[in-house]
């Protein structure tokens, strides 16, 4: 999907549908299978594994506590897939356009800038972890749980330092608040079909899709 | 002990790297402009990148290490002291040698780039590896630290040391001179004969000496000074 507004809205509708009911989750999974690049839309193996583990842990605890852990797991997995798809389709700069379109050149520009910088930093975390794994290999050490704490501390240190540098650069360039940007979007027929199908899925889930089956 | 690059080829779009070479014991200096492929070749030699074609053959080599160009790339410890320990080294010795003892409890990434480079180089050189590949070891160091590093490199005996650098002024004494030319690794041969073949990319003091018919014993400024004294004397 090329239009970021429709993509984010479709992802929000599908996420809500998936969270609301198991049928909504099944619809979301079907949508993901039909309309995304599947493997290309998957998050990285490590990220996917850690999210799945987290979901399974919460679902297990829920089930043991007498809740419906299985339903939780079934509803959360498509949500992760949609998040992975949303992230894989992202084009740098588009959130700034979307935020300015939505909230205007002052607040929208600031929010868009924060979102872009945040996502850029998140994208860099994977590279940083890979760098640390390489460093561990050079030191003849294995990458395990014991390495996680210093790795986390170093990542935090790096992100804080980079954020401070970026803030200084923006200030030096005269940035105070807001900016002038004419948002540009390209909407294709496919974008509309995908968005409306996602919206339909959400509305049907909201109305209790089970009743229609 | 020999490290051989057998038909190593790597391509990234329009950019190509080619290396056919054998490195024996001693200090090897690989010169080349920024972006000539030195870092990529260093990563291939250390086994961190696989070439598209060819292989890196290690004969009689038990262990190898690499000092990466950016010192931040080595950091895995949460404090300076932990960082030294992560190399399996004695903290007191390394911190004493680098003068970073008072900063032992600081996060490594809070050190200046120069301090961090000094720390990581000290750790790499203190680790007893038979092959030591150093990618731009002089970058981020001040003149005094560059000289100290040259002295330290001269004290390294027995193994294969390969220095990738575009440094033009403060240089160590080396045994063999190589150059990256258009993505291809070229061997100029053993020093001092190799200095005559270095050409336009050679450091200014070497070009100055060669242009006046002098052949310094090595590539350090003091070697050129000595050759000049010999000629004029």
């Amino acid at each position: 999907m090329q239009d970021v507004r429709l993509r984010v809205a479709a992802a929000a509708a599908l996420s809500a549908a998936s969270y609301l009911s198991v049928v909504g989750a099944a619809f979301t999974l079907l949508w993901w299978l039909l309309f995304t690049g599947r493997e290309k839309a998957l998050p990285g193996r490590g990220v996917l594994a850690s999210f799945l583990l987290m979901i399974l842990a919460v679902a297990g605890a829920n089930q043991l506590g007498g809740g419906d852990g299985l339903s939780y797991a079934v509803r959360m997995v498509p949500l992760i897939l949609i998040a992975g798809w949303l992230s894989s389709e992202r084009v740098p700069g588009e959130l700034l356009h979307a935020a300015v379109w939505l909230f205007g050149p002052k607040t929208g520009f600031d929010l868009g800038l924060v979102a872009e910088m945040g996502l850029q930093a998140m994208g860099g975390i994977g590279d940083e972890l890979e760098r640390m794994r390489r460093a561990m290999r050079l030191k003849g050490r294995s990458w395990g749980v014991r390495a996680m704490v210093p790795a986390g501390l170093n990542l935090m240190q790096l992100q804080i330092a980079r954020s401070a540098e970026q803030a200084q650069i923006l200030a030096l360039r005269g940035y105070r608040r807001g900016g002038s940007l004419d948002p540009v979007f390209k909407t294709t027929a496919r974008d509309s079909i995908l968005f409306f199908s996602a919206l339909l899925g959400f509305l049907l889930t909201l109305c209790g899709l089970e009743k229609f089956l | 002990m020999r490290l051989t690059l057998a038909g190593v080829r790597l391509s990234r779009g329009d950019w190509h790297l080619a290396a056919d070479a054998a490195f024996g014991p001693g200090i090897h200096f690989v010169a080349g402009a920024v972006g000539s492929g030195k870092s990529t070749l260093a990563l291939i030699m250390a086994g961190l990148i696989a070439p598209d074609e060819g292989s890196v053959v290690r004969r009689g080599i038990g262990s190898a290490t690499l000092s990466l160009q950016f010192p931040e790339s080595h950091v895995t410890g949460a404090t300076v002291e932990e960082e030294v320990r992560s190399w399996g080294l004695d903290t007191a010795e390394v911190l004493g040698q680098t003068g970073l003892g008072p900063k032992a409890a600081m996060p490594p990434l809070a050190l200046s780039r120069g301090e961090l480079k000094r720390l990581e180089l000290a750790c790499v050189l203190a680790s007893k590896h038979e092959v030591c590949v150093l990618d731009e070891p002089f970058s981020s160091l001040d003149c005094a630290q560059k000289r100290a590093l040259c002295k330290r490199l001269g004290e390294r005996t027995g193994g294969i040391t390969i220095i990738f650098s575009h440094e033009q002024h403060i240089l160590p004494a080396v045994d063999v001179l190589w150059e990256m030319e258009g993505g291809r690794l070229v061997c100029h041969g053993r020093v001092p004969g190799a200095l005559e073949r270095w050409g336009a990319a050679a450091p200014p003091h070497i070009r100055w000496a060669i242009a006046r018919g002098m052949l310094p014993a090595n590539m350090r400024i003091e070697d050129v000074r000595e050759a000049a004294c010999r000629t004029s004397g």
Side-chain angles (χ1 to χ4, degrees), chain A residues 8-198:
Chain A
V8 172
L14 289 165
S15 302
S18 183
Y19 189 75
L20 282 174
S21 76
V22 173
V23 178
F27 174 84
T28 303
L29 185 63
L30 184 71
W31 191 96
W32 183 83
L33 286 168
L34 286 175
F35 299 127
T36 71
R38 294 180 202 176
E39 273 184 46
K40 208 183 124 202
L42 277 175
R45 244 184 247 173
V47 177
L48 187 63
S50 47
F51 273 118
L52 287 179
L53 271 175
M54 222 149 58
I55 290 170
L56 285 176
V58 175
N62 201 341
Q63 193 76 30
L64 287 172
D68 193 356
L70 187 65
S71 160
Y72 173 81
V74 169
R75 286 181 291 127
M76 289 306 284
V77 170
L79 217 139
I80 299 299
L81 294 177
I82 289 298
W85 163 74
L86 189 65
S87 159
S88 71
E89 294 264 303
R90 180 184 163 253
V91 176
E94 63 178 14
L95 280 179
L96 186 59
H97 284 255
V100 170
W101 173 79
L102 198 59
F103 300 110
K106 279 195 174 171
T107 309
F109 194 94
D110 290 347
L111 286 174
L113 195 63
V114 168
E116 286 291 342
M117 285 165 75
L119 283 172
Q120 195 186 15
M122 275 172 71
I125 286 175
D127 295 337
E128 285 303 330
L129 288 173
E130 182 49 41
R131 174 195 70 67
M132 284 176 193
R133 272 197 207 103
R134 182 186 275 182
M136 294 293 279
R137 253 199 337 263
L138 276 174
K139 292 173 181 175
R141 299 190 170 247
S142 56
W143 178 254
V145 179
R146 282 184 67 187
M148 294 294 179
V149 175
L153 288 170
N154 282 323
L155 269 178
M156 216 156 63
Q157 179 92 23
L158 267 177
Q159 294 303 333
I160 291 169
R162 275 186 199 149
S163 302
E165 277 173 14
Q166 278 179 326
Q168 283 163 351
I169 289 166
L170 282 171
L172 273 172
R173 287 180 182 175
Y175 181 80
R176 290 291 174 270
R177 207 201 150 184
S180 56
L181 179 81
D182 190 14
V184 179
F185 305 100
K186 191 181 173 191
T187 313
T188 63
R190 187 174 182 273
D191 288 358
S192 304
I193 294 168
L194 264 59
F195 166 68
F196 283 113
S197 62

Side-chain angles (χ1 to χ4, degrees), chain B residues 40-60:
Chain B
T40 308
L41 189 59
L43 290 168
I44 290 174
M45 283 173 141
L48 293 176
I49 288 183
D52 297 339
E53 287 174 44
S55 57
V56 180
V57 184
R58 291 176 185 174
R59 288 241 163 79

Side-chain angles (χ1 to χ4, degrees), chain A residues 131 135 137 139 141 150 154, chain B residues 72-74 76-77 83 86-87:
Chain A
R131 174 195 70 67
R137 253 199 337 263
K139 292 173 181 175
R141 299 190 170 247
N154 282 323
Chain B
E72 297 84 358
S73 305
H74 282 292
T76 58
E83 180 57 19
S86 74
W87 287 90

Side-chain angles (χ1 to χ4, degrees), chain B residues 125-198:
Chain B
L125 292 171
S127 317
K128 304 288 177 212
H129 294 280
E130 282 149 339
V131 171
C132 183
V133 182
L134 305 165
D135 184 15
E136 298 291 359
F138 299 102
S139 68
S140 310
L141 296 182
D142 59 26
C143 291
Q145 290 303 327
K146 283 181 186 178
R147 283 192 196 98
L149 175 61
C150 288
K151 187 168 174 277
R152 190 84 208 278
L153 289 168
E155 289 161 4
R156 200 179 134 78
T157 52
I160 303 173
T161 306
I162 306 165
I163 304 163
F164 287 84
S165 178
H166 63 265
E167 172 67 29
Q168 293 266 300
H169 299 287
I170 299 171
L171 296 159
V174 303
D175 298 305
V176 186
L177 181 63
W178 305 76
E179 193 171 7
M180 292 300 296
E181 286 181 356
R184 180 171 285 274
L185 180 64
V186 175
C187 182
H188 289 317
R190 293 194 76 82
V191 172
L195 299 176
E196 286 182 306
R197 294 184 283 277
W198 202 344

Side-chain angles (χ1 to χ4, degrees), chain B:
Chain B
M1 188 189 296
R2 187 160 284 264
L3 188 143
T4 307
L5 302 176
V8 165
R9 303 285 181 273
L10 185 90
S11 296
R12 294 276 184 270
D14 290 339
W15 183 82
H16 306 283
L17 184 144
D20 296 87
F23 296 81
I27 299 183
H28 301 255
F29 190 86
V30 185
V34 172
S36 61
K38 298 190 300 295
S39 295
T40 308
L41 189 59
L43 290 168
I44 290 174
M45 283 173 141
L48 293 176
I49 288 183
D52 297 339
E53 287 174 44
S55 57
V56 180
V57 184
R58 291 176 185 174
R59 288 241 163 79
I61 296 168
S63 65
T65 193
L66 165 71
S67 164
L68 294 157
Q69 180 176 2
F70 303 110
E72 297 84 358
S73 305
H74 282 292
V75 174
T76 58
T79 62
V80 170
E81 197 171 3
E82 262 183 47
E83 180 57 19
V84 177
R85 221 177 290 129
S86 74
W87 287 90
L89 298 168
D90 178 50
T91 49
E93 193 185 320
V94 175
L95 293 178
Q97 189 192 329
T98 52
L100 292 170
K103 298 185 174 181
M106 272 175 71
L109 294 170
L111 295 177
S112 74
R113 177 56 91 67
E115 286 174 326
L116 188 56
K117 183 83 178 181
R118 202 192 323 160
L119 177 72
E120 297 298 349
L121 276 170
C123 291
V124 168
L125 292 171
S127 317
K128 304 288 177 212
H129 294 280
E130 282 149 339
V131 171
C132 183
V133 182
L134 305 165
D135 184 15
E136 298 291 359
F138 299 102
S139 68
S140 310
L141 296 182
D142 59 26
C143 291
Q145 290 303 327
K146 283 181 186 178
R147 283 192 196 98
L149 175 61
C150 288
K151 187 168 174 277
R152 190 84 208 278
L153 289 168
E155 289 161 4
R156 200 179 134 78
T157 52
I160 303 173
T161 306
I162 306 165
I163 304 163
F164 287 84
S165 178
H166 63 265
E167 172 67 29
Q168 293 266 300
H169 299 287
I170 299 171
L171 296 159
V174 303
D175 298 305
V176 186
L177 181 63
W178 305 76
E179 193 171 7
M180 292 300 296
E181 286 181 356
R184 180 171 285 274
L185 180 64
V186 175
C187 182
H188 289 317
R190 293 194 76 82
V191 172
L195 299 176
E196 286 182 306
R197 294 184 283 277
W198 202 344
H205 60 276
I206 299 290
R207 277 187 279 128
W208 180 86
I210 300 294
R212 282 157 185 78
M214 304 172 206
L215 185 60
N218 216 299
M219 59 184 197
R220 298 169 301 180
I221 287 177
E222 49 265 42
D223 295 313
V224 170
R225 202 176 293 134
E226 200 178 308
C229 289
R230 220 171 36 227
T231 309
S232 61

